[in-house]
Amino acid sequence: MMDKVNTEMENIDIVKDVLVIGGGLVGLQTAKAIADRGYPVLLAEAGGRTGVNAESLPLTGADVEQLNAMTEEAQASGIEILNNTQLAGAAGMPGDFKVWLADEDEVAEKQVGAIVVAGEVKVKPLNTPFGLDLTSTVISQTQLESRLVAEADAFAGKTVAFVVGLAQPGNPLNMERVFRSALTLAQTKECSVYIYVGDLKVASDQMERLYMETRNQGVLYFKLKEAPAISQSNGALSIRYADPVIRKDVELEPDLIVVEEAIEANPGNAELAEMLRIDLSPSGFIQTDNVHRYPVATNRAGIFVVGAGREVKHLNGAFMDAENAALEISELLGDGTKTVSTGTTLDAGKCTFCLTCYRCCPHGAIYWEDESNTIISPVACQKCGICASECPMDAIQIEQFSDAEVKEQIKTSVAQESKVSKIVAFCCQNSAVEAGQMAQEFKMKLPQGLQIVQVPCAGKVDLDYILTAFVEGADGVLVLTCHNGNCKSERGNLFAQWRVTEAQRMLAEIGMDAQKLRFASLAANMGSDFASIVNEMAETLKENK
Ligand code: SF4
Ligand code: SF4
């Protein structure tokens, strides 16, 4: 394995201002947490006031009071609140982003060091799965919550039925909203409240307590395996289900039916993600399903996501995100200067400005100036080496892992005469290297001819390295990467897999056994799997000798 050497460092100035996109409760809390750490904050809210977008999760009366208090507090802490303002574009790197903010009249350019997306979710009433139209007597959970604030007395003495967890899997956030509304109706408006529920999720102290409070207030639950038959004819409502205990149909004729809502990622996330060059999850939230991104990081350094922008979550959890984002930002921006490594170099003389590196960098660390000058940001670059291995001109080199250094290590690994098969295992330092160390520490049997070549990310394993290993005398080659979704550089393992497939095709073309080259994924704690993979390769080589 390579010895660590000192990396060259330099000091750079960075901008301390922070942009928070989204002025809901979580956006306000995040802006305040960042301002409390001494950073100037710009808060851009697309709506007419800090608060909640009409399509997002609604607020109860108490939340509105909280929101007003928080807005005043935010203004008092010097946060610049820009209402009716949306992100129109972004460029640059952590510590030096340029953002364009558009309001009704103009587009203003600002410079910020970090960006936080405090997104909202979108809610969609689930009336159609039950064949219902939304009317004055069939309403959504959001409509109920608004009416409980605006005209609560209109509900006095009514029979109200909730239908929840039947058109979609149970969701604690929806369940909590139902519990709170049911309590208000039963406690203060003397309503008869019935809850038809499929998947009842109460797995927390608070939810258990709320559930018990509703029971104590006389709310009745019907736990069903499938949706009841609901009819809505000339304003008359009926809910019927077959009760398996008393073995007959049970019918209710409520005054009001409240349907739950699907909570989805905001459709605006896609546009925002494109502008900021950040990846979305498969369900449209602004954070990939990657353990290295939790809790608030995105694939780009300097851009963070909190609350509903990254997943459907409860307000307490979202407020914890706000604190985490503030902490990450203070680590990134510090006192306005930063010491960075200059370990990734780009040879402008070799560069043909093809922008392959710009397209493949998973961290958005590459940009250009004057349409001819490719630049790697030392703040954003994670030194994974994907760009270096994809560059057709070999113009990019990673300190400690330059092409010359890695090839030299390959040569040295296979140079000695050996009676046993020589196996070169290219190992990602985030997973396979540690798995290999574990196998050694636990004294697992490993092949004598095994040589580990450490790489910063499997995405650094160049096709040329694999072929060099065979040319220099390796009998077998392994490329060992992180599992999908665990790669620190999102797609480094996929780049490695494509290159292995290509190398196997080339080996087959010249009549070599493609089994001499194998790709596998591991986690850092999979020492015994590491041992199995390398021993299997040794067995294969022995059988085919
Ligand atoms: S991939 Fe290589 S040649 Fe292409 S722009 Fe990047 S550094 Fe230049
Ligand atoms: S080394 Fe990785 S993070 Fe750095 S510029 Fe290249 S691809 Fe991006």
Side-chain angles (χ1 to χ4, degrees):
M1 262 175 240
M2 282 184 187
D3 293 332
K4 294 275 172 214
V5 294
N6 286 335
T7 303
E8 266 188 56
M9 307 298 269
E10 72 175 349
N11 284 331
I12 55 168
D13 291 331
I14 49 181
V15 180
K16 286 178 71 184
D17 298 54
V18 179
L19 170 68
V20 176
I21 301 169
L25 278 177
V26 181
L28 278 166
Q29 181 77 7
T30 307
K32 174 85 175 32
I34 298 166
D36 284 349
R37 288 173 181 264
Y39 298 96
V41 181
L42 267 176
L43 178 66
E45 162 56 35
R49 47 162 274 185
T50 48
V52 177
N53 180 305
E55 286 180 330
S56 68
L57 269 186
L59 296 169
T60 65
D63 291 329
V64 172
E65 279 167 25
Q66 189 182 358
L67 181 71
N68 289 339
M70 285 176 72
T71 304
E72 280 167 25
E73 232 181 297
Q75 276 161 337
S77 22
I79 295 165
E80 190 180 346
I81 298 178
L82 306 169
N83 287 321
N84 296 311
T85 301
Q86 301 199 45
L87 185 73
M93 289 293 136
D96 186 21
F97 286 111
K98 266 197 199 101
V99 290
W100 288 271
L101 299 172
D103 65 14
E104 286 152 342
D105 304 316
E106 57 168 5
V107 177
E109 184 184 308
K110 305 272 179 187
Q111 203 183 10
V112 294
I115 299 169
V116 185
V117 181
E120 302 284 355
V121 285
K122 181 179 166 69
V123 292
K124 189 174 104 195
L126 293 173
N127 51 303
T128 49
F130 305 104
L132 298 171
D133 294 324
L134 291 183
T135 60
S136 58
T137 54
V138 176
I139 63 175
S140 69
Q141 180 65 35
T142 298
Q143 287 173 316
L144 173 68
E145 285 162 2
S146 307
R147 282 173 58 182
L148 277 173
V149 174
E151 42 165 345
D153 288 345
F155 294 95
K158 301 271 188 211
T159 299
V160 182
F162 290 83
V163 182
V164 60
L166 286 158
Q168 65 178 355
N171 175 322
L173 211 55
N174 274 344
M175 212 55 237
E176 185 178 339
R177 295 172 71 194
V178 170
F179 287 156
R180 290 192 186 282
S181 301
L183 262 182
T184 306
L185 290 166
Q187 247 171 359
T188 64
K189 303 299 158 207
E190 293 178 354
C191 294
S192 304
V193 182
Y194 300 85
I195 300 180
Y196 293 81
V197 57
D199 195 3
L200 182 62
K201 290 258 160 73
V202 289
S204 78
D205 284 355
Q206 169 176 279
M207 293 286 279
E208 192 71 39
R209 181 182 53 76
L210 274 172
Y211 171 65
M212 290 314 298
E213 271 183 59
T214 59
R215 297 285 304 261
N216 293 342
Q217 288 299 324
V219 173
L220 286 181
Y221 287 80
F222 299 113
K223 180 96 173 63
L224 307 179
K225 285 203 170 105
E226 54 190 47
I230 307 179
S231 71
Q232 171 191 35
S233 164
N234 299 325
L237 302 173
S238 146
I239 304 180
R240 183 194 295 265
Y241 79 99
D243 190 308
V245 177
I246 58 174
R247 296 176 192 223
K248 62 179 205 180
D249 283 359
V250 175
E251 186 177 10
L252 178 77
E253 292 180 349
D255 300 310
L256 184 73
I257 293 177
V258 182
V259 293
E260 70 171 319
E261 288 152 329
I263 304 176
E264 298 170 347
N266 194 323
N269 285 353
E271 197 187 348
L272 202 54
E274 199 180 327
M275 271 191 266
L276 295 171
R277 294 177 58 208
I278 48 181
D279 295 337
L280 291 178
S281 72
S283 44
F285 288 96
I286 302 184
Q287 193 181 47
T288 51
D289 295 334
N290 184 325
V291 287
H292 299 289
R293 305 289 162 250
Y294 300 140
V296 293
T298 67
N299 55 302
R300 290 197 67 191
I303 303 182
F304 303 93
V305 60
V306 294
R310 68 185 194 89
E311 63 179 4
V312 175
K313 61 189 325 186
H314 194 274
L315 201 56
N316 293 340
F319 278 9
M320 275 173 67
D321 281 359
E323 293 303 323
N324 280 321
L327 185 66
E328 296 267 354
I329 282 168
S330 64
E331 274 171 23
L332 173 76
L333 304 182
D335 62 358
T337 56
K338 195 163 182 66
T339 308
V340 292
S341 135
T342 52
T344 307
T345 54
L346 193 153
D347 182 343
K350 286 186 179 172
C351 176
T352 55
F353 199 59
C354 69
L355 295 187
T356 301
C357 54
Y358 172 82
R359 281 188 286 271
C360 73
C361 173
H363 303 289
I366 295 178
Y367 60 109
W368 67 85
E369 276 175 2
D370 308 329
E371 312 249 317
S372 65
N373 190 13
T374 317
I375 296 168
I376 296 177
S377 158
V379 187
C381 176
Q382 313 274 313
K383 298 171 186 57
C384 62
I386 294 174
C387 59
S389 290
E390 286 294 300
C391 172
M393 304 306 296
D394 291 337
I396 301 173
Q397 298 296 334
I398 311 290
E399 192 175 39
Q400 290 184 252
F401 297 100
S402 68
D403 290 338
E405 286 170 302
V406 177
K407 283 186 186 173
E408 186 52 39
Q409 205 199 346
I410 297 168
K411 276 189 204 166
T412 317
S413 302
V414 290
Q416 298 96 340
E417 282 300 315
S418 168
K419 289 196 179 120
V420 292
S421 301
K422 296 175 191 171
I423 301 169
V424 171
F426 292 104
C427 292
C428 168
Q429 68 183 9
N430 302 309
S431 53
V433 166
E434 291 186 28
Q437 281 166 352
M438 183 186 248
Q440 284 169 349
E441 276 160 27
F442 281 84
K443 305 210 182 319
M444 293 174 194
K445 182 179 160 279
L446 298 174
Q448 270 180 36
L450 175 67
Q451 294 290 339
I452 289 176
V453 176
Q454 179 175 338
V455 282
C457 165
K460 179 72 179 81
V461 181
D462 205 313
L463 183 58
D464 197 22
Y465 299 169
I466 298 172
L467 301 178
T468 300
F470 283 116
V471 169
E472 293 296 332
D475 298 297
V477 173
L478 290 162
V479 177
L480 304 179
T481 78
C482 304
H483 293 312
N484 274 347
N486 265 16
C487 173
K488 247 182 162 172
S489 292
E490 301 287 341
R491 296 176 282 281
N493 52 352
L494 297 179
F495 278 102
Q497 192 165 19
W498 294 330
R499 293 184 200 130
V500 167
T501 307
E502 178 58 10
Q504 283 171 327
R505 187 192 63 74
M506 292 166 82
L507 294 182
E509 248 179 41
I510 58 166
M512 265 179 79
D513 183 358
Q515 284 191 63
K516 290 178 172 216
L517 171 60
R518 200 183 149 197
F519 170 92
S521 65
L522 287 166
N525 61 357
M526 291 172 69
S528 64
D529 294 74
F530 178 92
S532 305
I533 292 165
V534 293
N535 285 320
E536 261 171 42
M537 173 59 92
E539 280 304 308
T540 306
L541 296 173
K542 205 162 134 191
E543 282 164 19
N544 298 342
K545 213 155 191 176

